Amino acid sequence: MRLFQGGIAALGIILGLGSSGYAQEKTDISITRQPGILYLASHVMETQKLIEKHAAEDGLKDVTVNWRTFSGGGAQTDALLAGNVDIVNTGTGNLLLLWDRTRGKVKGIITSSAQPVIMVSRDPKIKSLKDIGPSDKIAVPTVGVSTQAILLQMAAGQMFGDSDLKHFDPNTVQLGHPDAMAALANKSHEVASHFSAPPFQYLEIDAGNHIVVNSKDIIGGPLTQATFFTTTAFAEANPVIIKAMREATVEAIDMIKKNPKDALSAYKQVSGDKTDLNTLVKILGQPDMMEFRTDPQGTMKFATHLHKIGTLKTMPAAWTDYYLPESADLKGN
C-alpha cells in the first residue's frame, strides 16, 4: 500500500517519538497540503502568516512555517511517517489509516473544509456509476485510501452489497487533480472520468464534462475534506503550535467567509492557478461550496466503512478517539 512506502522503519519513527521527545518547542514547522480550494484556509494562513502570528501571541516567537504542496494524500502521509514534515492537511481516510496503523499516535488537530466532491466524465455513456464498465478508468488522488476512492467503495456497497465493496477499485487510477483534469481534456487518454475536487470539478464541467455523482449523494450530508493532523508526540512537545494552528484555522475561515474574493486571491498567489479570479468566486457560489468549517463531518461513516472492509483493525468508539484531546470542544461526527 502506498501509505507505507517508508515501511516498518518509517513507522518506527512515529512509534518511537514519544520516548525521545523534543528539548523545546519547534519554531521551524513544515506543513503539507494538496492542490485546490478545499485547502483555501491554508492559503490564507500562509499569506497572512496566521500561525506565526498566533504562536507569537501565545508566547512562541520567531516561528517559520514551510508550506509544501503534494499531489496526493499518500505522499503526504509517507512524509509524516518518515518524519520529514510536522503536520499534514489532507483527507479523513488518511487520518484514520495512520491513527489505526500507529495505534493512536497520529491524531487530528482541526478541520477546515467540508465541501462536496464530484465525479465527472467526458464519456457520454457514463451517466451514473452503474454505467461504469470493467475497462473504464476513474482518476482518484490516491488509490484505495483517498476520500474519492473510499466514496466509490461506499457507493459500491450501496449498489452491490457488502460482498462487493471494492467493485470499482480496479477502475481507479492514481492521478493528482491537475493531471486528471489534463487527462480529461485529452480525448485519447485512457482516463475519461475523474472523481474530482474544487475548483477542478467545476472547471471540468465548464469544459463540457458532465456530473456522474456527488459525494453528498453517497454519504448523505457534508463530509470533511481538509483535516490538519500530526503525531501525538509532536502535539505533546509543541502545545503552543497546536493552539496556534487551531486559532489560525478559525481566523482563516472567518476571513474566507467575510471576503471570499481576497481569500481566492491568496489561493492564486500561492498555487499559481491561472483560473480567472471571478470564475473562482463563481465556483464558491456553487451549492455547499462555502462549507469551510472546523468541526469534523461524516468521519465516523468513513471509519465504519474502513473497519467493515478490514482496512481499520480498530473501530473507534467516537470521532474524538482519532482527534487530539484539545479538539474535543469541536462539534464533530
Side-chain angles (χ1 to χ4, degrees), residues 63-288:
V63 168
T64 301
V65 179
N66 174 32
W67 292 91
R68 300 169 62 188
T69 300
F70 286 36
S71 63
Q76 292 177 278
T77 52
D78 284 347
L80 184 66
L81 284 174
N84 294 331
V85 299
D86 301 304
I87 298 169
V88 299
N89 190 203
T90 187
T92 296
N94 284 292
L95 166 60
L96 287 165
L97 261 69
L98 262 64
W99 168 79
D100 185 61
R101 296 297 190 264
T102 62
R103 301 190 290 277
K105 294 188 181 296
V106 170
K107 291 191 175 184
I109 303 169
I110 196 167
T111 75
S112 59
S113 67
Q115 292 95 338
V117 292
I118 296 172
M119 179 175 158
V120 302
S121 182
R122 70 164 186 264
D123 189 335
K125 82 174 192 314
I126 299 175
K127 295 181 170 57
S128 70
L129 288 176
K130 66 181 175 56
D131 300 316
I132 298 292
S135 63
D136 293 314
K137 301 300 180 186
I138 306 167
V140 296
T142 307
V143 170
V145 298
S146 63
T147 294
Q148 290 84 348
I150 295 167
L151 283 166
L152 284 171
Q153 292 172 354
M154 295 174 78
Q158 295 164 12
M159 295 167 66
F160 308 112
D162 288 352
S163 63
D164 201 9
L165 288 166
K166 296 187 178 182
H167 181 89
F168 297 115
D169 280 18
N171 298 100
T172 59
V173 175
Q174 186 161 306
L175 284 176
H177 293 306
D179 290 335
M181 186 168 72
L184 257 64
N186 178 0
K187 293 185 179 180
S188 64
H189 199 288
E190 66 168 356
V191 172
S193 300
H194 175 205
F195 212 141
S196 193
F200 308 103
Q201 59 200 29
Y202 298 109
L203 298 174
E204 290 164 339
I205 292 166
D206 285 348
N209 300 289
H210 60 273
I211 296 173
V212 176
V213 70
N214 185 309
S215 60
K216 288 189 72 175
D217 301 329
I218 298 170
I219 205 163
L223 172 65
T224 289
Q225 302 294 347
T227 303
F228 288 103
F229 58 90
T230 188
T231 66
T232 55
F234 178 86
E236 289 163 5
N238 298 275
V240 175
I241 292 295
I242 298 302
K243 184 172 184 285
M245 278 290 315
R246 285 169 50 85
E247 293 166 341
T249 304
V250 170
E251 184 172 359
I253 289 174
D254 185 58
M255 288 180 169
I256 293 169
K257 292 185 174 180
K258 285 181 178 176
N259 197 328
K261 193 167 188 177
D262 280 358
L264 289 166
S265 293
Y267 161 74
K268 283 177 62 66
Q269 175 186 333
V270 170
S271 68
D273 191 330
K274 303 302 182 187
T275 306
D276 178 72
L277 181 59
N278 289 327
T279 298
L280 292 173
V281 171
K282 183 180 176 183
I283 286 172
L284 281 192
Q286 294 291 326
D288 304 308

